Amino acid sequence: MAPANAPGVSDARQVDALIVGAGFSGMYMLHKLRALGISAQVVEAGTGVGGTWYWNRYPGARVDIQSLEYSFGFDAELEREWRWSERYAPQPELLSYANHVADRFDLKRDIQFNTRITAAHWNEDARRWDVTSENGDTWAARYLILATGCLSIPTDVTFPGIGDFKGPIYRTSRWPREGVDFTGQRVGIVGTGSSAIQSIPIIAEQAAHLTVFQRTPNYSMPAHNGEIPASDFEAWAKDPRAYRAASKDTVGGFQNEPGEKLATETSPEDIRADLERRWAVGGFRILGAYVDQAIDPAANKIVHEFIAGKIREQVNDPAIAALLTPKDHPFGTKRPCVDTGYYKTFNRDNVELIDLRADPIATFNADGIATEKRQHDFDAIVLATGFDAMTGAIDRIDLRGIGGVKIKDHWAEGPRTYLGLMVAGFPNMFTITGPGSPSVLTNMINSIEQHVEWVADCLASLAERQHPSIEASAEAEAAWELQVAMAVTPSLMPQANSWYMGANVPGKPRMFMPYAGGLNTYTEICRQVAAKGYEGFIIRQGDRMLSESREFTSQPPLPDIPPSLMPIILERLAAAGLMPAA
Ligand SMILES: Cc1cc2nc3c(=O)[nH]c(=O)nc-3n(C[C@H](O)[C@H](O)[C@H](O)COP(=O)(O)OP(=O)(O)OC[C@H]3O[C@@H](n4cnc5c(N)ncnc54)[C@H](O)[C@@H]3O)c2cc1C
């Protein structure tokens, strides 16, 4: 069935692959498919490449993974000719990099900008996707590749009276290109997630007064940004290939010195020294310091106490320090933030923190924001209220698979995929860093490279067989759903009301969406699946079945779990109904 508003097939542009999105995923996918001789068209809602780094131009926007690792490694020349100016590159430099990649590989000629895809329907008779844009353009594509981004759709957060405010309201994720000058202004910012934590110190320096409205404090670690540390640069320069391979062969897709000890079995003095050293390095270095911190609440508390102490050291007023200290989620159960001067900003005379738990927003009005206790007058308001993560961009497309089944219905109880790459009932449709893949738990560039290369290999093998269609089996999808649950359930992660769980979007089903088993494990599973002739996939040419593998049997290597953690893990798996109680 063609989309309701689709013109006749003859009007549609024919293409082997239609790629939606021109961020790093869409760009690399295009480059790979061209090399395979598969014709591809990219369609992008924005007016330029770069995705995240095109849209998020708020002050202070920068990466939380060192740029040496948050950059493409697929082309040695590209890698050699690009020099990052800082350890954590800022948004303008990331956007320049995206444009450099696009220009270097002459990608823009196959990207249609300013075009939002609104519908894509699987045409069972023709075995292709009929795709429509907001502007009424249509494509007939054998393959549909959703490179639409995990964090590309801002939440629809709204407040009573929001339309009455007489000043400008800026969203961090849709920041004006020309920038904003807050000099001399009274500014309110709603939210204290990563974008807010990056922008607050800079806005505070400009504004006459800044009021920060916080509902949930997040953990933030210092970036200690500056020049790329010589040791890192030398390790990379000595052998870039080996450096990249080492990054990819990790849980998080970046080199982070995972600890090997249990916090609960290490002396307080040793822990202090180790965590101080990691804090001095900065970034995520503290994230995997102890093997038990992500599982055992007692171990997590030890690391939490260290960070709480660091917040107290930086914030002069103990009451403000207490408010800024996370209480409702264990450390590491949400992606922590990496900041430059965030906590110290609250020592400034012109910065005020409002705790929305104690004094919720009642309404926006012409002059600003009224909380239940008082009125706050502003010249400008900033909303840093996050994203409809992982499914938001896909959900917003009228996407229908076999029999007209809508993706929204298929995902009514949470996103179900096979490997985060394909969805049962949606043939020839791939998601890059889709739900069910490590994606947002990792250095995403490395996850993107792994996904794009897997999809390209898959399409190359289909091309050799005259382009049959490929589809995930329902059985493999269900088995993978179980793997995703098994990977996260032993950890503390499900205890947080995080966007990983869909908890920031009212009405969104609660389900832990990314695969928490690690990029290295996941990559090995995907490799095995392909090596077994695309296990779990159904491959057919018209009505002719070429291969039908319904089961998912590939097993990740068993993680090395200390025996003392086994009782906690088994108890959590049993409580979640994933294994019988002991
Ligand atoms: C503020 C912010 C900071 C981040 N920092 C980091 C970091 O430090 N480290 C890290 O690993 N990751 C980070 N991320 C995650 C980041 O999204 C990825 O690193 C990476 O840029 C994703 O690339 P992508 O191409 O998959 O998606 P995106 O960059 O999100 O690109 C997707 C593109 O698809 C387009 N699109 C979506 N739907 C449609 C449609 N229907 N029609 C047409 N076009 C469409 C969008 O306009 C967008 O340009 C951050 C994300 C945000 C929002």
Side-chain angles (χ1 to χ4, degrees):
M1 189 175 53
N5 57 343
V9 172
S10 56
D11 297 332
R13 278 175 266 171
Q14 314 280 324
V15 65
D16 284 336
L18 190 83
I19 301 166
V20 189
F24 288 128
S25 297
M27 287 198 291
Y28 184 34
M29 194 76 246
L30 172 61
H31 176 64
K32 282 299 278 185
L33 293 189
R34 269 193 196 159
L36 293 170
I38 293 174
S39 70
Q41 169 73 50
V42 180
V43 180
E44 164 59 50
T47 58
V49 297
T52 289
W53 308 108
Y54 166 89
W55 294 105
N56 292 268
R57 298 165 191 248
Y58 60 84
R62 61 177 73 244
V63 268
D64 59 11
I65 303 276
Q66 295 200 69
S67 300
L68 264 188
E69 294 177 270
Y70 186 89
S71 46
F72 281 130
F74 67 81
D75 186 280
E77 278 297 306
L78 167 67
E79 216 177 351
R80 251 196 307 276
E81 72 201 10
W82 187 266
R83 281 285 172 275
W84 295 104
S85 68
E86 294 175 62
R87 191 175 168 198
Y88 298 98
Q91 174 273 331
E93 193 171 347
L94 288 151
L95 186 57
S96 300
Y97 176 71
N99 277 289
H100 172 72
V101 173
D103 294 339
R104 191 184 195 291
F105 298 107
D106 190 19
L107 300 179
K108 289 179 186 165
R109 70 182 151 90
D110 286 326
I111 305 177
Q112 180 170 325
F113 293 108
N114 220 354
T115 308
R116 183 169 289 281
I117 296 301
T118 47
H121 294 187
W122 174 248
N123 182 327
E124 183 66 16
D125 296 334
R127 301 200 71 70
R128 58 146 205 264
W129 284 95
D130 290 328
V131 185
T132 313
S133 80
E134 209 168 36
N135 319 336
D137 300 323
T138 56
W139 292 265
R142 200 192 302 270
Y143 306 110
L144 176 65
I145 301 174
L146 300 174
T148 44
C150 295
L151 298 167
S152 57
I153 301 290
T155 52
D156 291 330
V157 168
T158 187
F159 296 92
I162 196 163
D164 297 338
F165 180 58
K166 59 179 191 277
I169 297 182
Y170 303 104
R171 281 184 183 268
T172 47
S173 51
R174 294 291 179 267
W175 205 256
R177 274 173 173 237
E178 61 282 9
V180 181
D181 183 2
F182 291 114
T183 307
Q185 296 193 4
R186 297 160 304 167
V187 182
I189 181 164
V190 182
T192 48
S194 181
S195 302
I197 283 178
Q198 289 185 331
S199 56
I200 282 168
I202 296 172
I203 299 176
E205 279 172 15
Q206 271 184 13
H209 191 271
L210 177 66
T211 307
V212 177
F213 294 91
Q214 170 186 275
R215 192 177 54 182
T216 310
N218 277 292
Y219 292 92
S220 189
M221 276 87 70
H224 299 313
N225 196 19
E227 280 187 16
I228 296 172
S231 55
D232 289 331
F233 188 79
E234 282 157 18
W236 169 80
K238 201 170 98 199
D239 188 348
R241 297 274 64 72
Y243 189 82
R244 293 282 178 189
S247 295
K248 287 182 176 176
D249 188 18
T250 58
V251 169
F254 64 106
Q255 300 179 48
N256 202 34
E257 200 198 340
E260 288 170 0
K261 293 186 190 159
L262 295 162
T264 48
E265 292 177 5
T266 308
S267 74
E269 298 72 35
D270 285 356
I271 290 177
R272 176 100 214 157
D274 183 35
L275 294 182
E276 284 288 359
R277 188 182 56 73
R278 288 173 182 270
W279 190 265
V281 175
F284 289 149
R285 196 49 69 98
I286 223 163
L287 206 48
Y290 292 93
V291 279
D292 49 352
Q293 74 188 58
I295 296 171
D296 182 351
N300 195 282
K301 184 130 195 298
I302 293 171
V303 182
H304 163 89
E305 287 301 342
F306 174 83
I307 299 172
K310 286 291 174 197
I311 297 172
R312 284 193 296 274
E313 269 174 28
Q314 295 174 82
V315 180
N316 297 341
D317 181 338
I320 301 287
L323 279 181
L324 290 168
T325 304
K327 286 164 213 66
D328 74 338
H329 64 282
F331 173 62
T333 56
K334 296 182 176 184
R335 190 167 175 126
C337 309
V338 175
D339 72 274
T340 300
Y342 176 63
Y343 291 114
K344 287 191 173 156
T345 297
F346 291 90
N347 298 332
R348 296 176 66 102
D349 292 339
N350 69 334
V351 175
E352 184 183 11
L353 181 65
I354 303 296
D355 173 17
L356 294 178
R357 305 259 173 204
D359 185 14
I361 290 176
T363 185
F364 280 43
N365 51 40
D367 296 324
I369 296 176
T371 54
E372 285 183 359
K373 293 188 182 159
R374 68 183 167 99
Q375 170 70 22
H376 305 264
D377 288 347
F378 298 123
D379 301 304
I381 294 174
V382 176
L383 297 181
T385 41
F387 297 89
D388 184 350
M390 304 209 74
T391 54
I394 300 175
D395 269 354
R396 278 163 180 75
I397 300 173
D398 171 15
L399 205 49
R400 302 185 193 186
I402 294 173
V405 171
K406 294 181 180 169
I407 194 101
K408 275 199 138 185
D409 293 335
H410 189 73
W411 286 358
E413 286 165 24
R416 290 185 282 141
T417 69
Y418 181 37
L419 302 171
L421 278 162
M422 292 199 88
V423 181
F426 292 76
N428 286 4
M429 184 188 91
F430 298 87
T431 50
I432 305 300
T433 68
S437 75
S439 59
V440 290
L441 298 177
T442 67
N443 166 7
M444 288 207 51
I445 293 273
N446 278 341
S447 284
I448 288 168
E449 284 198 353
Q450 186 270 339
H451 257 199
V452 165
E453 286 161 13
W454 192 95
V455 172
D457 288 349
C458 175
L459 296 191
S461 98
L462 295 179
E464 277 173 17
R465 301 158 83 180
Q466 312 304 318
H467 292 295
S469 64
I470 185 166
E471 183 193 342
S473 77
E475 292 85 344
E477 185 178 82
W480 183 247
E481 194 183 349
L482 186 63
Q483 286 286 321
V484 173
M486 292 285 286
V488 75
T489 302
S491 78
L492 292 163
M493 280 194 167
Q495 295 186 13
N497 280 328
S498 62
W499 53 259
Y500 298 147
M501 296 283 291
N504 64 328
V505 176
K508 191 163 173 170
R510 294 284 174 104
M511 174 180 176
F512 195 86
M513 294 183 281
Y515 171 70
L519 179 62
N520 45 2
T521 301
Y522 173 81
T523 302
E524 172 56 19
I525 293 171
C526 291
R527 193 197 61 73
Q528 286 183 32
V529 163
K532 289 180 195 164
Y534 293 97
E535 168 179 82
F537 289 100
I538 300 158
I539 300 176
R540 71 178 97 188
Q541 192 72 268
D543 293 335
R544 198 158 53 89
M545 194 67 77
L546 299 186
S547 76
E548 185 177 11
S549 161
R550 293 193 167 266
E551 305 305 320
F552 166 73
T553 63
S554 297
Q555 284 303 319
L558 278 179
D560 204 5
I561 296 168
S564 64
L565 293 178
M566 283 316 282
I568 304 181
I569 291 174
L570 295 178
E571 194 187 311
R572 288 203 185 119
L573 289 171
L578 296 171
M579 63 181 297

